[in-house]
Amino acid sequence: MASEAENLDIEITEEKIEKAALPEHKRAKGDYVSDEPVEISLDDDVSPVTKDEVKENFDVSPKVEEEAKDLSEIEKRATLAQNRINKAVAQAKEFQRRELMALQYAKDLKDQNEQLRKQYKQYSTSYGDEFGSRVESQISLAKQALRQATDSGDSEAIAAATEALTLATSDKARLEQYRQAQKQYEEQEQAYLQQQQYAQQQGYQAPQQYVQQEEYMEPSTKARDWAKKNTWFGQDQVATSVAFAVHKQLENEGFDTDSDEYYSEIDKRVRQELPHKFNVEADKKPVQTVASPSRTTSAGRKQTNRIQLTPSEQALAKKLGVSFKDYAIQKARLQRS
C-alpha cells in the first residue's frame, strides 16, 4: 500500500474504484458528501499501519466445511476451493481499497503542503515589506526629530530622539537578518524541488525534504470559529503572518492549541505585535507560559481522536462503499505510521 502511495503521479481512476468497491449489499448507508470537511469522532485510539500487518488467510471457513460434509467428494472439493477463492478475492479488494485511501490521503496532504508553502511565501514577503516600510519611516522620523532637537538645544529631546533612532536602527538590523533567513529558506526549497524533479526523472524515490516545514493539521471547530470571528485572518496578509508566528510561539511554550487559554493568548499577542492595526497600546510586559504541553483539551478529549475528512476523501469513501468512520480510522492509522 505504501509503495504505490509514494508515487503521487498515479491516477485514482473510476475503474480502480469500481474494482475495489464493496458489493452493493455491503455498502455503508447514510453518509453524504459535503462541500466542507467533516469531523469524525473515533471511540478508541487506533494503531499505526505496520508492514507486518498484512497477513493472507485463505483457510476455508468452518461454516462452509460444516455445510460441505454431506456433499460428494467432487462437490466438496469444488465448494471448499470456491470458498478459498472468494476469500482471496475479498482480501485483494480490501488491499485495493486501503491502497486507494492511502493514495488519496497522500495526494490531499501534498496539495495542502503546497498551499501552505505558497501562503508562507506570500505572508513572509508581505510581512517583510510592511516591516521594512515601517522601519524606514521610523528612522526618517527619528533623524528629523534629532535635527530639530539639536537645533533647539533641547537635551531631553536630543536624548529621546537618539534613543528612537537607536531602536529603529536595531529593528533594521533584525529586518536584514529576517530577509537573509528567508533567502536561505528559498534557496534550500529550490534545491530540494530540483532534487525531487531529478529523482522522478531517474525513477527513484528522492530523500526526505530537509527544509523544515510544519505538519499540516485540519483546523478544529474552535479554530474555524476563531477565524470566523477574526475576519482579518486570511484577508490581511501581514496580520495573518503574525498570527502564524504567534501560534508557533505558543506551541513551543506548551500551550494546548485547542484550549480557550490559547485563543485568548493569541488574540492578546497579535494585538501587542500590531497595535496600530487594532487601535490598542502595546503591552511591554513579558508574556509568561501558563499551559503545560501534556494537557488535554478543555473537554478532556485528545485531539488525535478527531479526524477530518476532506470533500475528496468523502467522495472516495462514498464510491468505495466505505463508511466515513471506517475511512477516518484508516486515515488515523496512516497518520500514525
Side-chain angles (χ1 to χ4, degrees):
M1 175 173 58
S3 60
E4 184 165 351
E6 288 172 356
N7 187 353
L8 300 184
D9 293 331
I10 296 177
E11 186 179 0
I12 301 179
T13 63
E14 293 295 332
E15 182 181 0
K16 289 182 180 179
I17 294 174
E18 185 177 353
K19 286 182 178 179
L22 289 169
E24 286 290 344
H25 66 282
K26 290 188 177 181
R27 296 192 176 191
K29 307 294 182 183
D31 290 330
Y32 300 97
V33 179
S34 169
D35 293 333
E36 300 292 333
V38 297
E39 188 174 83
I40 307 296
S41 297
L42 305 182
D43 299 331
D44 302 312
D45 197 13
V46 295
S47 58
V49 175
T50 56
K51 291 183 179 179
D52 59 350
E53 175 196 359
V54 179
K55 297 179 180 178
E56 294 183 351
N57 178 17
F58 302 149
D59 294 338
V60 178
S61 303
K63 182 180 179 181
V64 175
E65 287 186 336
E66 182 67 25
E67 293 174 349
K69 280 183 177 180
D70 298 330
L71 300 177
S72 66
E73 188 64 25
I74 296 178
E75 291 176 331
K76 181 178 180 180
R77 289 181 181 178
T79 301
L80 299 183
Q82 185 61 50
N83 182 250
R84 285 193 290 268
I85 292 172
N86 292 342
K87 293 187 71 174
V89 171
Q91 190 176 74
K93 286 182 173 288
E94 175 64 19
F95 293 162
Q96 289 174 337
R97 278 193 293 275
R98 293 191 179 187
E99 188 176 47
L100 291 175
M101 291 180 193
L103 187 57
Q104 183 66 57
Y105 170 67
K107 285 178 177 290
D108 284 349
L109 200 60
K110 181 183 178 183
D111 292 342
Q112 291 161 1
N113 285 338
E114 183 63 28
Q115 184 180 5
L116 284 177
R117 185 184 295 115
K118 289 180 180 178
Q119 287 179 345
Y120 172 79
K121 279 188 176 181
Q122 186 178 15
Y123 293 150
S124 60
T125 300
S126 300
Y127 179 70
D129 292 343
E130 194 271 347
F131 187 24
S133 299
R134 178 152 45 94
V135 167
E136 292 299 332
S137 176
Q138 290 173 345
I139 290 177
S140 177
L141 291 173
K143 286 181 177 179
Q144 182 180 355
L146 182 59
R147 283 196 299 269
Q148 293 175 351
T150 302
D151 292 341
S152 63
D154 187 340
S155 58
E156 290 186 2
I158 291 174
T162 302
E163 181 182 3
L165 182 59
T166 301
L167 291 174
T169 304
S170 177
D171 285 343
K172 186 174 183 180
R174 285 197 292 270
L175 174 62
E176 289 303 319
Q177 292 177 347
Y178 172 81
R179 285 175 171 167
Q180 285 296 325
Q182 184 182 4
K183 182 180 179 181
Q184 184 180 12
Y185 172 86
E186 291 174 354
E187 290 174 350
Q188 289 179 334
E189 181 187 35
Q190 186 62 31
Y192 168 74
L193 293 176
Q194 291 175 353
Q195 186 183 38
Q196 287 283 80
Q197 184 178 8
Y198 176 77
Q200 290 179 0
Q201 292 173 351
Q202 297 302 314
Y204 64 86
Q205 185 68 22
Q208 292 294 320
Q209 185 169 0
Y210 55 83
V211 177
Q212 184 178 0
Q213 292 189 359
E214 296 297 324
E215 180 184 0
Y216 181 80
M217 295 294 290
E218 290 284 355
S220 65
T221 303
K222 282 188 177 181
R224 292 197 297 270
D225 291 342
W226 180 87
K228 187 181 297 184
K229 182 176 66 175
N230 294 275
T231 54
W232 52 266
F233 186 77
Q235 302 298 323
D236 188 313
Q237 296 179 355
V238 173
T240 303
S241 180
V242 171
F244 277 125
V246 171
H247 161 75
K248 181 62 178 177
Q249 184 181 29
L250 294 177
E251 271 192 333
N252 292 339
E253 292 179 9
F255 275 80
D256 174 6
T257 56
D258 201 37
S259 66
D260 293 336
E261 293 167 341
Y262 161 80
Y263 287 103
S264 175
E265 193 67 18
I266 200 171
D267 284 338
K268 176 182 176 182
R269 294 196 193 184
V270 168
R271 283 157 176 75
Q272 286 176 339
E273 292 294 330
L274 301 172
H276 59 290
K277 286 186 177 291
F278 298 94
N279 298 320
V280 296
E281 294 185 1
D283 187 357
K284 303 296 183 181
K285 296 180 181 179
V287 180
Q288 297 179 347
T289 301
V290 297
S292 168
S294 61
R295 297 188 325 176
T296 56
T297 64
S298 57
R301 183 172 53 179
K302 294 181 180 178
Q303 292 182 354
T304 52
N305 282 345
R306 291 177 292 174
I307 297 293
Q308 286 195 340
L309 300 185
T310 64
S312 58
E313 289 171 334
Q314 298 170 44
L316 179 59
K318 190 71 174 178
K319 290 180 179 180
L320 291 172
V322 178
S323 69
F324 285 180
K325 186 165 186 177
D326 286 343
Y327 194 111
I329 291 173
Q330 182 64 15
K331 181 175 179 178
R333 299 179 68 195
L334 288 169
Q335 290 178 346
R336 290 158 176 74
S337 352

